[in-house]
Amino acid sequence: MPGVPLPDTGFAPFLRGDFTDDAAWQALVEEVGGDWVSVVADPSHHGLSMAELVALVPDGGHCAVLVVADAATFSSAERPLLLVDVREEPGRTLRVAAAAFPSVIGNLAIGNRGFDDYLVCLDDAGVYRLPARHLAALAQLQAAGRPAAPHSAYPSAVNETTPGLRVRPGGLADAPAILDMLDGAIVWMNARGNTEQWGTTPYSRKPGGVRRVEQYATEQDAFVAELDGVPVGALVLGSGPSPQMPIPPAAEPERYVRLLITDRRYAGRGIGAALLAHAVEETRRAGLTLLRVDCWAGGGGELVAYYERTGFTRTEPFLSGTWPGQVLARRVG
């Protein structure tokens, strides 16, 4: 009997392929579930071949890789996960140690790396483990008080809300927290091999970085997401794109997402989606029907795909120097 088809959530399905130890499964979900994955524990998937699993992926979906916790995963203290290629060469596999998994799945998701990049780096046991430079970067994250792989046990889909999360107006007093989120995002990207999107210099040390965030908080419409009173994300809305970007103005009044940032310590909890939902409500409250955003279009366009999953549609691509960008729009009813 074929397994239950996999949902197209926009995240890589994280499949339970071995049902002999519930406690070990729960511990593994706590360790690696969250960013980029959607947990699926359905007994109908037990014992299926790689080809059968790939066949369960919806046609035309966003899934590029399956993540399987099989018997081999639970037989080793390193919990090596099995990644199954869905897009490039469907059915081929890659075994990744749990400690390296957040880096690998993040790079695959945004297109910074492909299966081939990891297959040539397997050790004698046929497992990919983090190289020393990545371990050093993750140690830097931990030293800064930012866990290397913060995850909730059961990640929310991008359109779900998180209990205890509220969005409030922001102000100048929120600038330090926003800067901290921006700095943390750059360290997180760099630890996963992405140096193209925002560079390598902490945002708080970029020329004009602090002043820009202060202007966001005082001259634009800023909003802060709080989880149990702790700032965990920020949204800045303006009346149009940044004048520094080569983006043409809209032919009608609009609201424009000038900044969307979340704290990496709270990844996987739907905070970005909640802020985008707030942007939609603010656009509607202003009596407007057009909401736009722009983002980095490199790395395989996965960030563009994220916005598409939240209701935006691609409009104009652009280049800021050599930095590839994409404008997206959403109609608000």
Side-chain angles (χ1 to χ4, degrees):
M1 179 178 179
V4 173
L6 300 173
D8 184 17
T9 64
F11 297 99
F14 179 23
L15 307 181
R16 182 178 183 181
D18 182 276
F19 286 77
T20 59
D21 191 333
D22 289 344
W25 165 251
Q26 292 295 340
L28 184 62
V29 170
E30 289 282 355
E31 181 179 1
V32 303
D35 286 347
W36 309 111
V37 301
S38 177
V39 175
V40 180
D42 193 310
S44 71
H45 301 147
H46 179 74
L48 294 183
S49 68
M50 293 303 104
E52 289 170 328
L53 287 173
V54 171
L56 299 178
V57 177
D59 292 336
H62 295 93
C63 180
V65 61
L66 301 179
V67 183
V68 182
D70 58 5
T73 301
F74 295 107
S75 66
S76 169
E78 288 188 300
R79 297 289 189 258
L81 293 155
L82 187 66
L83 277 62
V84 185
D85 189 355
V86 174
R87 184 175 296 167
E88 296 178 6
E89 295 180 25
R92 66 174 172 169
T93 60
L94 167 68
R95 186 71 68 172
V96 177
F101 176 74
S103 172
V104 173
I105 194 65
N107 276 310
L108 291 175
I110 63 176
N112 274 339
R113 300 287 186 273
F115 256 69
D116 289 333
D117 296 309
Y118 294 108
L119 287 170
V120 299
C121 297
L122 303 183
D123 63 12
D124 292 340
V127 177
Y128 176 80
R129 295 176 173 85
L130 282 179
R133 64 186 180 87
H134 278 196
L135 289 172
L138 294 177
Q140 182 183 1
L141 268 178
Q142 293 171 325
R146 300 185 179 94
H151 306 295
S152 58
Y154 293 95
S156 301
V158 295
N159 61 349
E160 293 180 358
T161 57
T162 298
L165 183 70
R166 75 182 186 100
V167 179
R168 61 165 175 80
L172 184 59
D174 296 303
I178 296 173
L179 282 165
D180 185 63
M181 293 179 211
L182 290 165
D183 286 349
I186 291 173
V187 174
W188 182 85
M189 291 176 191
N190 292 173
R192 284 151 179 80
N194 179 357
T195 59
E196 296 85 5
Q197 185 174 350
W198 284 359
T200 58
T201 303
Y203 200 90
S204 59
R205 298 180 189 173
K206 293 179 183 287
V210 173
R211 178 58 182 155
R212 187 175 302 112
V213 169
E214 291 175 344
Q215 289 176 325
Y216 276 155
T218 57
E219 299 176 12
Q220 306 285 335
D221 291 328
F223 302 91
V224 173
E226 289 186 336
L227 186 60
D228 298 324
V230 177
V232 294
L235 165 75
V236 176
L237 292 175
S239 59
S242 167
Q244 278 74 48
M245 302 299 278
I247 300 172
E252 62 186 276
E254 66 174 331
R255 298 294 270 163
Y256 202 99
V257 178
R258 295 287 293 274
L259 175 68
L260 178 69
I261 185 69
T262 62
D263 191 322
R264 297 307 310 168
R265 290 171 289 189
Y266 298 88
R269 303 193 188 189
I271 295 166
L275 287 166
L276 287 174
H278 191 80
V280 170
E281 290 304 313
E282 288 295 319
T283 303
R284 184 178 292 116
R285 186 175 295 115
L288 304 177
T289 61
L290 178 61
L291 174 65
R292 291 200 297 165
V293 64
D294 65 77
C295 69
W296 184 57
E302 293 297 333
L303 186 55
V304 176
Y306 166 79
Y307 282 107
E308 289 180 316
R309 293 194 298 270
T310 61
F312 287 84
T313 301
R314 302 184 195 208
T315 55
E316 306 90 2
F318 66 92
L319 278 176
S320 179
T322 60
W323 193 90
Q326 176 68 52
V327 181
L328 301 99
R330 177 171 175 174
R331 283 294 171 184
V332 176

